Amino acid sequence: MAARWLALTAAATAYLPPSQPRRSLRLHMSDDSWAQELAQAGGGFERQEASRWQKSDRGKADAESRARNDAILKWLEGNDVWVSELSGWNEPPHSLALATSTFDELEGEDSGRGLLARRAIAQDAILARLPVRLCMTKEAALEARELKGIVSQDTNEYVAIALLLIGEAQKPNSFWREYIEVLPSVEDVSATFTWSEDELQYLEGSPARQATASMQDKLRREHASILEQYPQLDRSVFTLERWTWAFSNLFSRAIRLKAGRVDEFLALVPYIDFINHSPFSSSYVDARAIPKAFPWEAEEDEVVLFADRAYKQFDQIFISYGPRPNSDLLLLYGFALDRNPFNSVDLVVGANADQDPLFDQKRAFAASAGRDVARAAFPLYADRYPDELVQFLRMACATMEHLGNLPLNAPETYVDIVSLDNELAVLETIREAATSALNAYPPPNDDIPAAFLSRNQRMARRLVQTEQRILQKTVAATERKARELQSAPPSFERRTPDLLSNFK
């Protein structure tokens, strides 16, 4: 009979056993307690600094959360990860502390567990190191006895790690028990694909609403497919609820690493994945081979977190999850930012098959560049609309009169203005599409103060408002540009095409 995940399994101790520790350390208090002690021992400045990352209740986290923090720190120590504030043999004091709760002052929101500086940190300093063997990876799933015959080399990385995470979460003596205990719940992450229908109504008009529905459908279909394909999986363990929890953690926490391997690999990295997001951070995580003290030592990789800048004591350490718009952040990570330099909203445009006599030629030309001339989406930003959008619309809006002697199916035709009338048609198309997108949002309900909204409602309002601002700026920019063109001299020369067309 195929092995099944059971709530209690006698064989769990044989599953990925931890290596024998070479160091013996003891933490006398959780990092939250440590932080409170520092704040109380210092003067008013230290207390003021500590309040930047502590919750509004001044860091009085509940005892259970602190105990879980202590447990994972002890687990890390037992697996050769130096997290002590004391110096050790060839080890400097660990520069980070694990806070049970952090607060983002810029956005005015709690941001869950986080990592902060115990002391001043220099730029490019190594903040944390952790062996890859402690990570939850596809390789670990391949080695799991319970997943033999289920996870293979062809299995998607996310699916493999999700199966591993769900199964290990049911084992009281799992190797990763202390790590799994501190992972956030679905409600803590609050990615939009876990929201209720009532909460999703606050996303009406935003492209994020359709993206969320698509994600929910994909997760349901993939879960059903896995259970159908592998009937040996216990349906009472691998429920849709736990499947959703696993993916909410994977989407919001998993890190892609390279090390000395040919291909990158996905990993849940204990401790390091508690670092929170800032779009202005350039801290980075990398993997590398652990230097060997002796030639006969086995080769092993480690995950390393580097500081992007100098940090003061009590500063929270941040990393960027990538140049993501708010719609992606809310869909995958459960938050949106009012100050997001990478925020954008997709604008959908295209040619009309019924009204354009050149439609078939345009469709063939666009298809050769991987585009659908009838429907294409481009991101709008707060300070610009992309050149790709303009070039596409120069082609989509072109008439024989606009083109004159210019060839329709030549990429260089659209590098510069085709004609005055064509450029005005492009600007009008962008303006109309942005106006239509604005009209898709329901009337704003700004009468309710943010303090009376749930966190998800506040995030939805923030997403919608930032998208509307981008669309409003786009409308104003196209109208201003159209006025400038209309007041320009009637004749102008095309620039020499530089062949940097986005159709190539």
Side-chain angles (χ1 to χ4, degrees), residues 256-474:
R256 192 157 290 281
L257 303 169
K258 187 165 182 66
R261 308 174 187 224
V262 177
D263 299 317
E264 293 181 336
F265 62 100
L266 193 71
L268 285 174
V269 185
Y271 187 64
I272 289 178
D273 65 4
F274 290 121
I275 190 169
N276 287 318
H277 169 75
S278 168
F280 308 104
S281 173
S282 56
S283 294
Y284 63 98
V285 177
D286 198 5
R288 65 184 185 185
I290 299 177
K292 295 191 293 184
F294 303 99
W296 56 82
E297 287 186 341
E299 292 185 356
E300 187 177 9
D301 290 335
E302 66 178 356
V303 184
V304 187
L305 171 64
F306 294 91
D308 63 323
R309 61 175 176 84
Y311 287 89
K312 297 184 298 183
Q313 189 180 42
F314 293 115
D315 277 353
Q316 185 176 177
I317 311 299
F318 291 101
I319 196 170
S320 173
Y321 298 164
R324 295 181 177 274
N326 276 345
S327 55
D328 281 0
L329 291 176
L330 195 54
L331 173 67
L332 302 175
Y333 300 91
F335 63 86
L337 302 174
D338 194 51
R339 300 168 181 82
N340 183 359
F342 306 109
N343 196 25
S344 65
V345 57
D346 282 350
L347 189 73
V348 178
V349 294
N352 191 319
D354 297 327
Q355 300 177 6
D356 190 346
L358 301 176
F359 182 82
D360 289 339
Q361 297 177 54
K362 293 177 181 179
R363 179 171 57 185
F365 173 55
S368 68
R371 291 283 190 185
D372 179 1
V373 73
R375 182 180 175 84
F378 299 87
L380 300 177
Y381 300 94
D383 59 347
R384 67 193 185 282
Y385 42 83
D387 191 49
E388 292 90 340
L389 168 63
V390 175
Q391 289 191 25
F392 175 85
L393 284 178
R394 284 172 181 160
M395 180 272 298
C397 296
T399 65
M400 293 302 297
E401 291 76 15
H402 294 168
L403 291 169
N405 295 326
L406 295 172
L408 182 147
N409 60 350
E412 56 269 26
T413 296
Y414 310 104
V415 172
D416 198 6
I417 294 177
V418 174
S419 70
L420 178 61
D421 287 341
N422 178 263
E423 199 72 4
L424 290 173
V426 167
L427 294 171
E428 179 61 15
T429 300
I430 296 174
R431 189 194 70 80
E432 288 182 352
T435 301
S436 177
L438 276 170
N439 293 336
Y441 293 95
N445 189 8
D446 297 333
D447 296 336
I448 304 176
F452 293 93
L453 297 175
S454 70
R455 183 183 183 280
N456 290 351
Q457 291 170 344
R458 292 196 302 274
M459 291 298 110
R461 174 185 283 186
R462 181 174 295 166
L463 170 69
V464 167
Q465 289 177 341
T466 56
E467 289 180 345
Q468 289 175 322
R469 284 201 295 266
I470 290 174
L471 291 168
Q472 290 163 354
K473 288 182 177 181
T474 300

